[in-house]
Amino acid sequence: MCRIEIREQEFNADFIRAFFPKLDYGVLKSTLESLGDDSLKLDSVEDIDGQPEDFLRLLHKVLLEMDVTQGEMTCGNCQHKYQINEGIPNMLLGADEI
Amino acid sequence: MKFLLVFSQSLLDFRLAELDSVVEVLNLDLSRPSDENVDLNSACLVVDIGSEDGARALAGRCVLIKHIIQIFAQGSSYDDLHENNKKAVHLWKVYTDKTFAFNVEAAYKSIPKERRMNIINAFSYMQFTAQVNFKKPYIQYEVFEEHKADINSDVDHAHTYAPRLFHRVYFGRFIAFGQRSLVPKFDVKKRAYFGNTSMESEVTVLMANQALARKGTLIWDPFVGTGSMLYLCAYFGSYVMGSDLDGRQMRGQPGKQHTGHPGSRAGGILSAAKDYGVLDKFLDLFTADVTRIGWRTGGTLDAIVTDPPYGVRAGAKRIGLKQGVEYKESYSAQPRPPTQDYDLLNLTIDLVVMSAYLLKRGGRLVYFLPTVNEEYKETDVPTCQGMRIIANSVQDFGKWSRRLITMEKFEDIDTDDSLQNILSNIDINTADKNVSHSNFREKFFRAFEPLEEQIVNQ
Ligand SMILES: C[S@@+](CC[C@H](N)C(=O)[O-])C[C@H]1O[C@@H](n2cnc3c(N)ncnc32)[C@H](O)[C@@H]1O
């Protein structure tokens, strides 16, 4: 079961633009889709500075405002499941996994 | 323009570091005397600031500044002051037809009322033509006497009760109060949520300033505990994230109403953030072992601000098995994986190296390092490629101290290099014996006595 909350934030386009190069957009898009949200339409983004404000606002919402409060993340590599409880993901590995 | 900064008499060694950081974060045009020419035992520092707005902005960020005065004149005696003030008519002439008030103060001393009146009357040559207005004066004149510790006295010169001698007197007008009021505002005891290692509010303001917290920057505390530093970073506008090995620390006891009693744990970090009106700045909290942080992308953070566990109240731990213990299947069923001890020496090295990777260029690592006074050498503070120390401010507790270390990342490093190559001043093979903060917990509990004596005493 998965629960999502929105925590509103003042929009900051500069922050999103500066952060974008550090982001794997494809992974963000597929993660969002796995939460049942297909609002990110573009398949890839070449030039963030050329994007309209609407797109930046969308990224802002996904990155800064959406909070998965209940759910789990599965590692694509080792299949470890990281639980999210009360908004706090548990990123600890077991002693056998390190 | 010349301004007098009147400082609080706490945390003397943090004063210039805070001033310099705030000048940087606000991009102020300020020049101050070099470190050797600053007497920290005096409450006064005269600086040049490009504009009055600059002085106000400075006051708006510094917790160690009590207030700021624009200087009209100064002197080594009152006669000297008045002589100089008469030459400075161009600075004050514009105010003499405005409602006014006078405030006469001295650092460390109270001036009796009668003397205060005499001091004020001596300014009558300025020919004030407007009314005195104590409540809302257009201009508040300030007379400030600087008293310095008597160098012939054997009382610690930094001590509030050290005998002091008149040194200088300044005259000018009040510009703004500093941020002393943040100390009660963020007082841990009044917070919706705190624990037994929560950092006191005055220091958290200093840490947020050292981290250059400001709008649009991203700050992380990897030993977040109850979140003390993040509230201030968020208050100054940064986005913040926190993580801790212990998830309960961050969550508090949701669902339960916070009672307001000392030691109350209900609510968690987010409820306190909400009370302070900074909830929107909290991007995320997560449970993680700082030695196993999964972030694959470096150069993302503007600052890492943290108070690592030094093991006095609760030792540092990391996920893993204790030496000599073998892994058992049953461990995987436990809610929390087993942990092993994690010495401060390795912890600080890891923190610095991790920062060299995760910070942006120009980003800062701000953290507390406890040290043993008798053994401490400046080179104990670990550095590594790409990171340099900008400030090292000490708070002395007698036999030990804690040092607020501020480092800046100035270039990217090759993280595939071996740890020893990345470290610049620590030899990992011998550090255990040479560095004063290694085995800090053990040293603390034997009251910092040399090991041999302890054994004899027992
Ligand atoms: C001194 S406390 C921090 C207190 C915090 N500044 C506050 O105001 O509440 C240190 C914290 O480090 C956490 N800790 C210990 N070992 C850790 C590790 N390996 N990784 C992450 N956190 C750890 C502890 O759970 C504790 O909450």
Side-chain angles (χ1 to χ4, degrees):
Chain A
M1 198 205 51
C2 171
R3 217 173 321 143
I4 295 174
E5 271 175 28
I6 300 291
R7 236 185 1 248
E8 276 184 25
Q9 287 269 357
E10 190 194 335
F11 175 56
N12 184 337
D14 292 340
F15 180 80
I16 299 296
R17 273 195 219 100
F19 195 76
F20 194 80
K22 297 290 175 188
L23 198 70
D24 188 329
Y25 176 78
V27 171
L28 181 71
K29 185 172 190 289
S30 60
T31 307
L32 192 64
E33 282 164 2
S34 75
L35 292 167
D37 184 331
D38 62 354
S39 48
L40 285 176
K41 303 286 187 217
L42 294 178
D43 281 327
S44 66
V45 179
E46 294 299 315
D47 170 28
I48 188 69
D49 295 321
Q51 293 298 322
E53 187 179 308
D54 278 358
F55 182 71
L56 296 180
R57 283 192 182 272
L58 193 58
L59 278 181
H60 171 91
K61 178 168 174 223
V62 175
L63 286 172
L64 303 187
E65 298 192 326
M66 269 179 84
D67 191 14
V68 179
T69 55
Q70 211 66 42
E72 63 183 28
M73 295 181 279
T74 308
C75 171
N77 212 7
C78 70
Q79 308 306 315
H80 182 103
K81 284 188 176 11
Y82 297 95
Q83 303 293 331
I84 305 175
N85 256 317
E86 295 152 38
I88 299 183
N90 182 345
M91 305 305 288
L92 295 179
L93 295 172
D96 55 328
E97 291 170 300
I98 55 181
Chain B
M1 290 165 88
K2 283 220 178 309
F3 292 90
L4 176 69
L5 311 183
V6 179
F7 285 98
S8 147
Q9 287 307 300
S10 59
L11 298 164
L12 302 185
D13 201 45
F14 293 63
R15 190 185 281 176
L16 295 177
E18 181 186 49
L19 182 62
D20 293 346
S21 292
V22 170
V23 165
E24 182 162 344
V25 77
L26 299 175
N27 199 6
L28 295 176
D29 169 18
L30 178 146
S31 55
R32 66 161 175 92
S34 60
D35 288 16
E36 315 81 75
N37 293 318
V38 174
D39 177 2
L40 294 175
N41 293 325
S42 161
C44 298
L45 183 67
V46 178
V47 296
D48 262 298
I49 308 179
S51 68
E52 183 181 328
D53 283 347
R56 280 184 205 285
L58 179 72
R61 277 287 296 243
C62 291
V63 72
L64 295 182
I65 291 182
K66 283 164 75 177
H67 56 276
I68 298 184
I69 296 169
Q70 183 203 344
I71 301 174
F72 294 156
Q74 47 181 302
S76 54
S77 66
Y78 273 92
D79 286 345
D80 194 21
L81 171 77
H82 287 299
E83 199 178 308
N84 291 331
N85 194 38
K86 284 170 190 164
K87 291 186 215 141
V89 188
H90 59 286
L91 291 177
W92 46 259
K93 191 70 207 153
V94 290
Y95 300 112
T96 52
D97 62 349
K98 304 283 192 292
T99 59
F100 67 102
F102 255 89
N103 186 31
V104 182
E105 253 185 283
Y108 299 100
K109 283 217 159 93
S110 72
I111 302 177
K113 188 159 182 218
E114 202 180 325
R115 217 188 122 223
R116 278 206 309 261
M117 287 317 296
N118 291 338
I119 290 171
I120 295 171
N121 288 334
F123 284 91
S124 61
Y125 60 85
M126 288 173 69
Q127 297 180 332
F128 307 104
T129 54
Q131 293 290 310
V132 170
N133 182 338
F134 286 114
K135 281 220 175 96
K136 250 185 149 301
Y138 180 89
I139 175 167
Q140 175 154 321
Y141 295 104
E142 294 278 345
V143 179
F144 198 90
E145 288 183 8
E146 177 176 17
H147 292 253
K148 281 197 178 186
D150 178 356
I151 46 168
N152 296 318
S153 148
D154 46 13
V155 181
D156 176 2
H157 296 164
H159 202 289
T160 326
Y161 298 115
R164 274 162 218 277
L165 303 172
F166 176 91
H167 178 68
R168 259 187 119 60
V169 56
Y170 302 87
F171 174 63
R173 74 184 173 106
F174 178 85
I175 297 293
F177 284 113
Q179 296 302 304
R180 299 303 296 158
S181 62
L182 292 181
V183 178
K185 181 178 160 99
F186 285 91
D187 183 6
V188 169
K189 294 279 164 359
K190 290 189 231 150
R191 194 161 88 198
Y193 173 64
F194 59 90
N196 61 0
T197 61
S198 295
M199 181 65 71
E200 59 276 23
S201 58
E202 183 172 20
V203 175
T204 62
V205 184
L206 291 171
M207 294 176 84
N209 275 334
Q210 287 309 102
L212 307 178
R214 64 187 180 283
K215 199 175 166 194
T217 58
L218 183 56
I219 294 182
W220 174 47
D221 180 349
F223 298 100
V224 73
T226 61
S228 310
M229 276 78 83
L230 296 188
Y231 307 119
L232 268 297
C233 292
Y235 176 77
F236 289 136
S238 295
Y239 294 123
V240 297
M241 292 186 294
S243 58
D244 200 286
L245 186 61
D246 185 353
R248 294 167 302 184
Q249 286 265 41
M250 295 174 284
R251 259 183 218 117
Q253 291 175 309
K256 281 199 188 156
Q257 199 59 39
H258 153 64
T259 57
H261 286 306
S264 164
R265 279 228 155 165
I269 291 181
L270 294 184
S271 75
K274 195 168 166 203
D275 285 356
Y276 290 135
V278 294
L279 183 60
D280 59 332
K281 296 293 185 295
F282 279 67
L283 296 193
D284 216 350
L285 300 172
F286 55 99
T287 308
D289 180 341
V290 74
T291 66
R292 305 272 165 196
I293 289 294
W295 282 329
R296 305 284 165 80
T297 311
T300 41
L301 301 171
D302 293 282
I304 294 175
V305 184
T306 200
D307 175 31
Y310 27 94
V312 177
R313 287 212 183 87
K317 303 270 181 218
R318 56 185 299 185
I319 304 292
L321 298 171
K322 296 207 170 58
Q323 241 181 3
V325 176
E326 267 183 47
Y327 182 74
K328 287 200 271 307
E329 219 20 72
S330 62
Y331 285 145
S332 65
Q334 290 171 1
R336 277 159 52 82
T339 55
Q340 52 181 224
D341 290 341
Y342 183 29
D343 186 68
L344 190 66
L345 178 68
N346 294 318
L347 184 154
T348 50
I349 289 175
D350 290 348
L351 190 60
V352 173
V353 174
M354 178 174 71
S355 302
Y357 175 64
L358 287 177
L359 290 175
K360 291 181 188 166
R361 242 173 292 150
R364 288 186 169 192
L365 165 65
V366 180
Y367 76 100
F368 266 110
L369 179 69
T371 50
V372 181
N373 290 355
E374 240 178 50
E375 302 169 27
Y376 170 77
K377 329 173 268 324
E378 218 170 285
T379 49
D380 285 354
V381 183
T383 58
C384 79
Q385 284 176 30
M387 297 284 290
R388 65 173 157 235
I389 298 173
I390 332 197
N392 175 343
S393 305
V394 64
Q395 190 179 10
D396 192 330
F397 299 115
K399 294 206 164 176
W400 68 287
S401 298
R402 64 175 183 182
R403 292 176 174 272
L404 184 62
I405 309 293
T406 307
M407 300 183 83
E408 182 191 51
K409 173 176 171 178
F410 63 95
E411 64 184 16
D412 293 327
I413 63 164
D414 175 8
T415 39
D416 290 335
D417 217 341
S418 76
L419 182 62
Q420 183 62 73
N421 277 345
I422 290 174
L423 293 174
S424 18
N425 68 338
I426 301 256
D427 176 348
I428 27 185
N429 296 318
T430 58
D432 188 32
K433 289 174 197 67
N434 297 337
V435 171
S436 94
H437 57 268
S438 75
N439 303 310
F440 184 80
R441 179 183 167 86
E442 190 202 315
K443 289 175 184 169
F444 184 92
F445 284 114
R446 61 164 204 263
F448 305 104
E449 294 297 331
L451 207 51
E452 290 80 359
E453 273 177 48
Q454 272 276 310
I455 293 166
V456 176
N457 288 347
Q458 279 165 359

